């Protein structure tokens, strides 16, 4: 019996760290599961309280690096809105892995909105998307959550095949119009312009290319004035999105104003384009007008 005790005692001590770590891992996963139980039952007071106990008082939801992170209170409020908009919202955990002080979760979110979601009216359609979250723990509670959801995929599913096809066609028209403009093919540009097209620029009214310009004749006149006053040295499209007949483009530009000979300096731009019957009907341009004005006036 003495020999047995001598053998079992060291084994028990060896197992203690393993049991302690396993217990901690299980506890962390239990708290994370409460997180998803709340996502699937956002209108439940019981699940809201369980979620609140699982996350730290200063917990933050981080979905991007804009710095506009959601607090616990803001997140609970947002999910309360979701409970009304998507009564059958379900967030199913499909994989949960613990690594150090973090738990990584792959989940599946489904639901059928009863009204417009992010501006898209699904008309009774449902979405089914994948989500990835990283939950960081501190002092036994979730301190922050980094998350990515495929909301663009959800909106595409809610839009339906007709809107998706229209979005693709709108992007083709905008790409063709930009290509024609870049190569100086005025005939192709004209063919892609609606007769009542509007080109709208805002900024310093002292600059001769500030619009709006309406109709092909005015627009081509504006383009001539623009090319005489500003030589574009950089134009890079970074992102392009479409929803039906509307296309959004984001990118970077640079150029030299001929009046002063001064370089503007690289700046970001945004563009909103409306397409109708395969032609551009609105070209709404947004840029760093302050930087452009300074260069134009040689400041």
């Amino acid at each position: 019996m003495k020999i047995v005790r001598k053998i079992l005692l060291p084994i028990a001590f060896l197992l203690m760290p393993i049991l302690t770590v396993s217990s901690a891992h299980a506890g962390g996963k239990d708290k994370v599961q409460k997180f998803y139980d709340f996502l699937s039952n956002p209108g439940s007071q019981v699940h809201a309280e369980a979620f609140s106990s699982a996350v730290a008082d200063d917990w933050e939801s981080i979905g991007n690096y804009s710095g506009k992170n959601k607090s616990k209170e803001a997140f609970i409020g947002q999910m309360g809105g979701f409970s009304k908009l998507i009564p059958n919202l379900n967030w199913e955990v499909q994989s949960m892995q613990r690594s150090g002080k973090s738990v990584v979760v792959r989940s599946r979110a489904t639901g059928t909105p009863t009204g417009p979601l992010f501006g898209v009216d699904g008309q009774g359609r449902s979405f089914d998307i994948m989500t990835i979250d990283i939950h960081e723990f501190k002092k036994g509670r979730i301190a922050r959550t980094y998350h990515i959801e495929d909301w663009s995929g959800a909106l595409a599913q809610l839009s339906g095949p007709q809107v998706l096809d229209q979005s693709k066609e709108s992007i083709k028209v905008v790409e063709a119009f930009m290509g024609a403009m870049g190569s100086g093919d005025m005939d192709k540009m004209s063919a892609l312009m609606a007769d009542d097209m509007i080109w709208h620029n805002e900024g310093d009214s002292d600059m001769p290319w500030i619009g709006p310009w309406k109709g092909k004749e005015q627009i081509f006149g504006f383009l001539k004035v623009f090319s005489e006053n500003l030589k574009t040295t950089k134009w890079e499209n970074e992102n392009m999105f479409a929803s039906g007949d509307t296309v959004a483009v984001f990118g970077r530009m640079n150029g030299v104003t001929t009046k002063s000979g001064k370089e503007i300096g690289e700046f970001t731009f945004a563009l909103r384009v409306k397409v109708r019957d395969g032609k551009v009907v609105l070209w709404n341009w947004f840029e760093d007008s302050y930087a452009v004005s300074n260069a134009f006036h040689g400041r």
Side-chain angles (χ1 to χ4, degrees):
M1 291 297 291
K2 290 182 180 179
I3 295 174
V4 173
R5 285 175 182 170
K6 287 181 180 179
I7 295 173
L8 290 179
L9 196 58
I11 291 175
F13 275 110
L14 287 171
L15 287 176
M16 280 181 67
I18 298 173
L19 293 171
T20 303
V21 172
S22 298
S23 177
H25 281 208
K29 289 185 176 182
D30 286 345
K31 286 184 171 63
V32 170
Q33 185 58 56
K34 290 178 181 179
F35 184 99
Y36 292 94
D37 290 342
F38 172 58
L39 295 187
S40 295
N41 302 275
S44 166
Q45 183 64 29
V46 172
H47 286 96
E49 290 175 357
F51 162 81
S52 187
S53 67
V55 304
D57 294 337
D58 59 350
W59 172 85
E60 287 186 312
S61 167
I62 303 172
N64 57 49
Y65 289 102
S66 66
K68 298 177 181 178
N69 305 325
K70 290 187 180 69
S71 65
K72 180 194 292 190
E73 292 74 18
F75 186 77
I76 291 174
Q78 180 189 41
M79 293 309 299
F82 269 32
S83 70
K84 298 175 182 177
L85 178 61
I86 316 171
N88 65 339
L89 180 64
N90 185 55
W91 228 285
E92 179 189 349
V93 174
Q94 296 191 311
S95 174
M96 189 184 298
Q97 302 293 329
R98 177 106 191 204
S99 177
K101 295 182 179 180
S102 299
V103 174
V104 180
V105 177
R106 173 174 58 84
S107 58
R108 185 176 188 175
T110 59
T112 308
T114 57
L117 177 66
F118 303 134
V120 175
D121 189 349
Q123 299 179 341
R125 298 187 185 92
S126 300
F127 64 83
D128 185 341
I129 61 174
M130 181 171 70
T131 76
I132 301 292
D133 300 298
I134 302 174
H135 304 278
E136 291 186 351
F137 276 77
K138 187 177 181 180
K139 296 181 180 179
R141 299 170 78 187
I142 304 173
R144 63 183 57 85
T145 298
Y146 296 89
H147 59 94
I148 297 175
E149 300 92 21
D150 183 17
W151 289 118
S152 61
L155 297 182
Q157 294 169 33
L158 295 174
S159 297
Q162 184 176 353
V163 175
L164 281 176
D165 291 342
Q166 185 183 20
S167 299
K168 292 177 182 178
E169 288 303 313
S170 296
I171 287 178
K172 286 181 181 179
V173 171
V174 172
E175 288 179 334
F177 188 82
M178 285 182 166
M181 184 162 46
S183 64
D185 190 340
M186 297 295 107
D187 290 337
K188 187 172 182 180
M189 279 186 67
S190 181
L192 291 168
M193 296 165 63
D195 292 336
D196 59 345
M197 175 182 169
I198 296 175
W199 190 304
H200 188 79
N201 296 344
E202 293 183 355
D204 182 356
S205 59
D206 288 340
M207 297 187 297
W209 62 82
I210 297 303
W213 310 92
K214 301 179 181 179
K216 292 184 179 182
E217 185 177 349
Q218 282 194 14
I219 290 171
F220 279 118
F222 141 74
L223 288 172
K224 182 176 183 299
V225 172
F226 177 80
S227 63
E228 290 172 349
N229 283 273
L230 193 147
K231 302 299 180 184
T232 302
T233 58
K234 180 176 183 176
W235 182 352
E236 290 182 1
N237 296 333
E238 295 180 328
N239 301 102
M240 186 178 296
F241 309 96
S243 177
D245 65 352
T246 305
V247 179
V249 184
F250 304 92
R252 295 182 176 275
M253 286 190 69
N254 199 352
V256 176
T257 55
T258 57
K259 178 184 176 181
S260 67
K262 188 171 181 178
E263 182 182 26
I264 299 169
E266 187 174 303
F267 60 91
T268 57
F269 72 83
L271 173 64
R272 178 170 65 101
V273 187
K274 287 278 189 181
V275 176
R276 184 183 66 213
D277 299 326
K279 296 186 178 183
V280 176
V281 69
L282 172 66
W283 193 270
N284 194 184
W285 186 265
F286 307 90
E287 65 187 14
D288 186 350
S289 56
Y290 181 75
V292 177
S293 175
N294 279 344
F296 179 79
H297 292 291
R299 294 196 288 262

